[in-house]
Amino acid sequence: MDLRGNHTDRLSFNPVTIKLMIEVKDIEKSFGDSKVLKGISTTFESGKTNLIIGRSGSGKTVMLKTLLGIHTPDAGTISFDGRIYSDLDKDEKRALRTEIGMVFQGSALFDSMTVEQNVAFPLRMFTNKRSKEIMDRVNETLDRVNLKDANKKFPNEISGGMQKRVAIARAIVNNPKYLFCDEPNSGLDPETSIVIDKLVQEITKEYNITTVINTHDMNSVLQIGEKIVFLKNGLKEWEGNNEEILETRNKSIVEFVYSSDLFKKVREALLADEQEHHAHDNDKKA
Amino acid sequence: MIKILDQIGRYFLMLKEVFNKPTKWVVMRPLIFKEVDDLIIGSMAIVAFISFFIGGVVAIQTALNLTNPLIPKSLIAFATRQSVILEFSPTFISIIMAGRAGSYITSSIGTMRVTEQIDALEVMGVNSLNYLVFPKIIALILYPFVIAISICLGIMGGWLAAVYGGFVGSDEFIRGIQTDFHPFHILYAFIKTFIFGFVLATIPSFHGFYMKGGALEVGKASTTSFVWTCVVIILIDYLLTQLLLS
Ligand SMILES: Nc1ncnc2c1ncn2[C@@H]1O[C@H](COP(=O)(O)OP(=O)(O)OP(=O)(O)O)[C@@H](O)[C@H]1O
Ligand SMILES: [Mg+2]
């Protein structure tokens, strides 16, 4: 069950790469005439919740799908712990993908299957577990995403938020090495959002997963933003963590982070506080 | 023209991929049963209904056109049998199936494309073409059985219509059915339907799998897929008739 086991193989294969991570180098992607990604480089480390943030339409989904190989980049390389995706052959790509869990923006549940069949799917497909073991694992996972009593329902019989949680359960059920989530808590109430964020962070740490999350939810950014990549107009405008993001003077970030009136007020208060502090310090010096 | 050649090329590449890296049998088996249920059993009623009445109509048409008293009435049975076995069941029913099973296949696969379910399969490392198309091909291997039933019902419909319409006696009709019977014609019908079954599974799948856009395009894809399936069926019908019967 635990896919972690073969890490050592890859380490002995390439002793220089000690850190497990996804490395993105200069990726570009266009659709027809519109260039959506204009050369983005960054790294996503394992054991961390990495966030991609940006306005609606800034290319977050395209970026994530390019990382996953659903879109082929026009230029640039993506490597998973040293394995360069475009250099792999078809079977190697498939093998790599069995180590990936993905939560799509629209959930993408199989609508001919019940909730528990959806979650059991990766296990039935890629493990040799017996039905009983699979069902135990499925129930355990559904429990973790706070979803009970929906096992036998079909995706169109449950709410959007519940669908999201099923999608998360399906993504994590087979202990992935890489976890990608496209706006995992859009459509969820604030309370469940936090539960989901915490859950994702928890399993990221527990299994040392390389997690990449698309979001424009400021709560998530502040809560779990251990590494944040801010996309604007197809470029990486800024990167840092959730503490740095509050202090940065980058205008686009400030506009993005403090877009709501509430946050603007908070920022004003914080800045006033800081100035007072400064004034105080200066007084002391004088 | 280049676009059509490109499509044909992609179609054959798709077929190659369908038979590449098969899905685990435990996962595949229920899928096959489900497709048999949807595509074969689910089509039975409409196929039975149409075959029965078409058989009847052919018999009546032949009877009405047989005005020369020198031609034996048993010819009604002979003509019904020949047209049902050679064309009506294999080809006509396949066109009906292109509408029923074909558009079902295109819209179900197309919906999976639009709602990213196919991407989800691919991301997990599943060969989505094998997973989605292979069970349909296997299910439609049973398609000749559907046609066998259609042939029986067609001839029965002809018999009922002719006898109860008062065109010919039952004995004479049955004698007519046995006249000049070539078992090879049955084989010809089965060879045709076997190939049509493959066409019915793969062309609609192709149109569903490679569609782009949203829910509206799913509808359009179903229509295009129906037209192409019919065109291919008729062309293959023509070729096979040339090859096997002349
Ligand atoms: N398959 C596609 N074909 C053509 N253009 C596309 C495609 N996918 C995305 N785009 C374009 O790329 C741009 C970025 O889209 P993307 O879906 O990545 O935005 P996003 O940051 O995920 O937005 P949101 O937060 O609303 O989900 C958009 O202008 C969109 O029109
Ligand atoms: Mg998006």
Side-chain angles (χ1 to χ4, degrees), chain A residues 61 105 182-183:
Chain A
T61 300
Q105 194 163 358
D182 198 350
E183 302 193 12

Side-chain angles (χ1 to χ4, degrees), chain A residues 65 68 70 90-91 94 97-98 100 102 104-106 108-111 113 121-128 170, chain B residues 16-17 20-21 23-24 26-27 30 34 111-112 115-128 131:
Chain A
K65 287 190 173 174
L68 283 163
I70 295 176
K90 213 175 215 168
D91 287 337
R94 286 227 168 90
R97 283 175 168 194
T98 62
I100 292 177
M102 167 76 185
F104 284 84
Q105 194 163 358
L109 298 177
F110 303 123
D111 44 32
M113 298 181 196
F121 186 83
L123 297 176
R124 285 200 301 137
M125 208 71 188
F126 300 111
T127 68
N128 293 315
R170 185 177 69 181
Chain B
K16 190 174 146 244
E17 192 59 33
N20 209 348
K21 190 177 180 269
T23 306
K24 266 163 69 175
V26 263
V27 179
K34 185 173 171 298
T111 307
M112 290 187 72
T115 55
E116 298 180 313
Q117 291 174 53
I118 292 182
D119 287 336
L121 285 170
E122 283 293 326
V123 165
M124 288 179 198
V126 177
N127 177 352
S128 54
Y131 180 83

Side-chain angles (χ1 to χ4, degrees), chain A residues 124-141:
Chain A
R124 285 200 301 137
M125 208 71 188
F126 300 111
T127 68
N128 293 315
K129 290 183 204 297
R130 280 186 272 122
S131 297
K132 170 103 183 24
E133 286 175 90
I134 290 181
M135 259 17 258
D136 287 347
R137 175 75 186 141
V138 166
N139 288 325
E140 185 191 319
T141 315

